[in-house]
Amino acid sequence: MNLADLNRVAEALVSPGKGILAADESSGTIKKRFDAIGVESTEDNRRDYREMMFRAEDALSKYISGVILYDETIWQKSRDGTPLIKLIEQAGAIPGIKVDEGTQPLPECPGELVTVGLDKLSERLKKYYAQGARFAKWRAVIDIGKSIPSYTAIHTNAHALARYAALCQAAQIAPIVEPEVLMDGDHDIDRCYEVTEFVLKQTFQELYAQKVALEGMILKPNMVVSGKKNAKQASVQEVAEKTIRLLRNCVPSAVPGIAFLSGGQSDEEATAHLDAINRIGHQPWKLTFSYGRALQNAPQKAWSGKPANVQAAQQAFTHRAHMNSLASKGEWKADLESRRAV
Ligand code: 5MM
């Protein structure tokens, strides 16, 4: 492992004013997104949609440090024959790859899942590196509900995340470690805090056991928020303060950066929370975004599968990337949202 190179990639992913675009929706997930806008999920439509984002003026060159791709996309060519991965590189962003292979039910743990994909991962990583990927992502999913999560689910997922991260570093690919505690339930913000704290403590324990170099990775956690179905939604300030307190208690300062997932927050909520988090003041790590939905909801709707809408969709995408870039520096203001020229 060349730790200096891994560290350079990790630092570049969280360079000031930049964050990560999570465009790694698996086939099932992108179909759901396309269904919502009335677009058939064909290989060509998926290519056209992602090409639209990668060519959006200023988005990748100014606000996006890296793009997480799904396996299909890393091998795809744009309409004019340029590999999509080249479009990303030409814009100055780093290509990354989702390497987990989704989830399976965890035996004896009703309702809980384990993320799979470790078998033959080393071989896959070699091919992705040769294709240009310099970072990777693996997402573990922890649900909060009556009597869950179990220790078994947390420990098994943390162990898999750490095994994945160690294999990535051995292949000279910087791992993004994503232990996502879902915000779907009716729990309150303090329950989210308690579960996320346990999950992060376990994850860093396992990363240590697998000899993962923290300087050569990025953490992609959920923010500490109220469950979506809880009647009392915590304020932006409470989310920011509890998220920072949690991270300061769980994440070693050797980690170069923390890039949050949006987890089902609305576009503006995800931006407002990131902004408030960064306004709290200097922290040991950079704090930025690695959003999927909160960057793509607006351009998806604007695009709706029609070539005539490409420019409007690109403007919507660049706008969200710009807003989140400002939030990553604590410089976003709500009134900037309405000042967008389209
Ligand atoms: C873009 O969505 C990613 C892929 O999910 P599937 O494997 O289910 O298709 C997902 O891992 C994403 O990167 C993270 O959950 C963050 O995305 P959000 O939308 O929560 O910001």
Side-chain angles (χ1 to χ4, degrees):
M1 179 208 311
N2 179 337
L3 183 54
D5 280 352
L6 288 171
N7 176 252
R8 257 191 292 280
V9 172
E11 293 282 358
L13 288 172
V14 295
S15 55
K18 293 199 175 187
I20 299 164
L21 165 64
D24 58 314
E25 297 86 355
S26 53
S27 308
T29 303
I30 196 74
K31 183 177 180 318
K32 265 191 245 158
R33 307 277 182 262
F34 277 15
D35 284 350
I37 53 169
V39 175
E40 195 187 346
S41 183
T42 62
E43 197 174 330
D44 280 358
N45 284 342
R46 294 191 290 270
R47 186 268 321 274
D48 287 350
Y49 169 64
R50 286 166 172 150
E51 182 175 351
M52 175 276 291
M53 287 190 290
F54 302 162
R55 286 190 190 274
E57 197 182 341
D58 287 347
L60 267 55
S61 57
K62 286 192 176 165
Y63 310 124
I64 303 288
S65 54
V67 182
I68 312 171
L69 302 169
Y70 185 55
D71 179 75
E72 175 183 83
T73 321
I74 201 168
W75 310 106
Q76 259 176 339
K77 290 191 170 141
S78 67
R79 277 187 173 232
D80 70 6
T82 313
L84 291 182
I85 199 167
K86 285 279 167 268
L87 296 182
I88 296 167
E89 288 168 350
Q90 282 162 8
I94 307 172
I97 182 77
K98 181 237 286 299
V99 298
D100 68 67
E101 295 181 322
T103 53
Q104 283 182 1
L106 190 58
E108 302 301 320
C109 295
E112 297 194 282
L113 302 168
V114 61
T115 301
V116 296
L118 289 170
D119 290 349
K120 308 240 170 70
L121 179 55
S122 294
E123 284 90 328
R124 289 195 289 131
L125 289 168
K126 274 185 208 143
K127 289 184 195 151
Y128 289 139
Y129 186 91
Q131 183 67 2
R134 290 295 175 269
F135 72 99
K137 193 200 84 175
W138 176 291
R139 172 174 170 249
V141 186
I142 302 293
D143 205 357
I144 300 181
K146 198 168 175 285
S147 322
I148 61 171
S150 64
Y151 175 74
T152 309
I154 294 172
H155 180 261
T156 310
N157 276 292
H159 180 74
L161 271 168
R163 290 269 295 126
Y164 138 82
L167 291 171
C168 282
Q169 291 192 334
Q172 224 32 61
I173 289 185
I176 293 188
V177 173
E178 181 180 4
E180 176 173 7
V181 176
L182 296 176
M183 58 181 282
D184 297 338
D186 60 4
H187 51 276
D188 65 12
I189 187 170
D190 293 324
R191 177 74 176 137
C192 177
Y193 187 111
E194 178 183 56
V195 172
T196 308
E197 182 177 37
F198 200 101
V199 167
L200 291 184
K201 296 267 185 205
Q202 280 287 313
T203 300
F204 279 99
Q205 180 69 24
E206 292 293 321
L207 289 167
Y208 175 63
Q210 295 299 324
K211 304 184 188 297
V212 172
L214 300 184
E215 298 90 336
M217 63 160 272
I218 296 291
L219 179 71
K220 176 166 173 168
N222 51 286
M223 295 173 188
V224 179
V225 293
S226 316
K228 262 189 176 171
K229 294 183 204 136
N230 191 289
K232 186 175 174 288
Q233 291 293 307
S235 69
V236 171
Q237 196 53 31
E238 187 177 2
V239 168
E241 283 169 11
K242 289 189 171 165
T243 300
I244 286 293
R245 177 164 180 253
L246 170 89
L247 295 173
R248 290 182 68 89
N249 275 283
C250 297
V251 184
S253 55
V255 175
I258 296 173
F260 293 102
L261 57 92
S262 57
Q265 299 177 40
S266 75
D267 300 358
E268 272 195 50
E269 258 171 9
T271 305
H273 285 151
L274 180 62
D275 183 67
I277 284 169
N278 275 298
R279 280 178 194 268
I280 288 179
H282 183 74
Q283 304 299 339
W285 356 255
K286 306 274 182 30
L287 293 154
T288 189
F289 57 93
S290 175
Y291 293 163
R293 284 164 287 180
L295 278 171
Q296 295 186 61
N297 288 328
Q300 257 159 31
K301 275 190 206 128
W303 176 64
S304 291
K306 299 193 175 63
N309 293 341
V310 163
Q311 202 186 351
Q314 288 177 325
Q315 285 172 344
F317 176 56
T318 301
H319 175 71
R320 283 263 53 84
H322 183 202
M323 293 300 102
N324 285 305
S325 160
L326 291 172
S328 74
K329 297 182 284 185
E331 293 173 3
W332 173 81
K333 289 192 186 72
D335 67 355
L336 293 171
E337 294 289 348
S338 52
R339 280 199 237 149
R340 178 162 78 96
V342 181

